[in-house]
């Protein structure tokens, strides 16, 4: 197969930051994706509907005039968020709330310290049909960093699902066989997003020929058995698994640093990467479900009408982009990719 046309995809998990940075990163997503779920973990997190609507306007101002793009806005859960905010959020088109266990990842210090603190909020979310998006890692320092996702399932996710059976939950950027199996064991109300980097790479990438900070993200890359389990889920056509890049831009100077920030910047190359991952196992015919159909079905949104063409033609990934006063390096910078993507 040398080309494939699919319904235009959406990115169900994306970081775009704020201010001048938007001008660099928003066009990279909008050139391929119709919509994206915007993560609320700014330095000052997006905790109210009013903040989310103002942020949405700033994102829309960064969309070049020849592109169309719809940011799907989310709020950041804190211990103090008000249950009454949920009705306001729903009425203003907010699609979901994001649960960051406090301290789990970038800008999560104001996240939730104990799930019981947000039970009244979860009650309201369930009532109004707002989705819960979870960063599924425990923060207990006694738990090995490679085990934090699997432990999260037993300690947090299973009790949460038991107590809120009507709440729709997305287990974000899953990285383990345990998470895949757990999602498969649940018939309705639970789905998972998968990044391109977790489908293509295992943890060896972080250490190949030296410490490589551009491959460092959270949850961290896992061993090969997990990558294969994730790839099986993504390419199986199972409606519970869909695309979420977790593209997370950081200044190159902060990635190439003694304490490197977590996050892989994949927005400009994401569709090429997913196509390569599916092609490698002979499952390109399942890419449309994963990238374009399963996500809208879970979120209760219509499919997009435009088409994206993926062509098997090599291209070189740009080495870096100007980013604020510094630069931004995409994953696989300078390397050659096998697939190219273009809206038709
Ligand atoms: O690697 C990551 N980067 N994981 C996250 O959960 C957050 C993200 C970011 O915001 O940079
Ligand atoms: Zn993320």
């Amino acid at each position: 197969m040398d080309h494939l046309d699919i319904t235009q995809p959406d990115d169900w998990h994306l970081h775009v930051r704020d201010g001048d940075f938007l001008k660099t990163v928003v066009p990279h997503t909008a050139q391929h994706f119709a919509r994206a779920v915007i993560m609320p973990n700014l330095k000052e997190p997006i905790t109210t509907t009013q903040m989310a609507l103002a942020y949405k306007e700033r994102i829309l101002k960064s969309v070049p005039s020849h592109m169309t793009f719809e940011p799907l806005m989310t709020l950041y859960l804190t211990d103090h968020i008000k249950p009454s905010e949920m009705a306001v959020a729903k009425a203003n088109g907010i699609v979901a709330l994001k649960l960051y266990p406090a301290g789990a990842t970038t800008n999560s210090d104001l996240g939730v310290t104990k799930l019981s603190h947000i039970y009244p909020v979860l009650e309201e979310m369930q009532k109004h049909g707002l989705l819960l998006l979870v960063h599924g890692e425990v923060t207990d320092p006694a738990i090995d960093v490679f085990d934090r996702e699997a432990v999260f399932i037993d300690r947090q996710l299973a009790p949460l699902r038991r107590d809120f059976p009507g709440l729709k939950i997305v287990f974000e950027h899953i990285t383990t066989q345990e998470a895949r199996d757990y999602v498969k064991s649940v018939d309705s109300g639970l789905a998972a997003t998968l990044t391109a980097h977790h489908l293509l790479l295992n943890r060896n990438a972080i250490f190949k020929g030296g410490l490589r900070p551009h491959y460092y993200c959270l949850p961290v890359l896992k061993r090969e058995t997990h990558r294969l389990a994730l790839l099986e889920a993504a390419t199986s056509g199972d409606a519970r698994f869909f695309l979420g890049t977790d593209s997370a831009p950081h200044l190159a100077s902060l990635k190439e640093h003694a304490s490197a920030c977590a996050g892989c910047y994949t927005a400009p190359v994401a569709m090429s990467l997913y196509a390569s991952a599916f092609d490698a196992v002979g499952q390109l015919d399942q890419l449309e479900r994963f990238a374009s159909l399963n996500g809208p079905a879970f979120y209760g949104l219509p499919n997009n009408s435009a088409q994206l063409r993926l062509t098997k033609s090599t291209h070189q990934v740009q080495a870096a982009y100007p980013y604020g006063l510094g630069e931004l390096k995409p994953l696989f910078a300078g390397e050659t990719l096998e697939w190219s993507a273009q809206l038709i």
Side-chain angles (χ1 to χ4, degrees), residues 251-304:
L251 280 162
S253 56
L254 296 178
K255 288 288 293 172
E256 296 161 7
H257 191 274
S259 93
C261 297
C264 298
Y265 185 58
T266 54
V269 290
M271 285 312 300
S272 310
L273 300 181
Y274 283 112
S276 294
F278 278 61
D279 192 17
V281 288
Q283 298 281 12
L284 274 172
D285 56 342
Q286 295 294 347
L287 182 60
E288 184 177 46
R289 280 172 195 260
F290 174 76
S292 317
L293 307 180
N294 294 347
F298 193 78
Y299 272 76
L301 293 170
N303 294 338
N304 298 314

Side-chain angles (χ1 to χ4, degrees), residues 208-227:
K208 197 175 162 198
L211 193 57
R212 292 177 174 253
H214 290 282
Y215 293 109
Y216 172 57
C217 63
L218 287 171
V220 71
L221 292 170
K222 303 295 191 299
R223 60 168 72 238
E224 180 67 1
T225 47
H226 296 291
R227 184 187 77 85

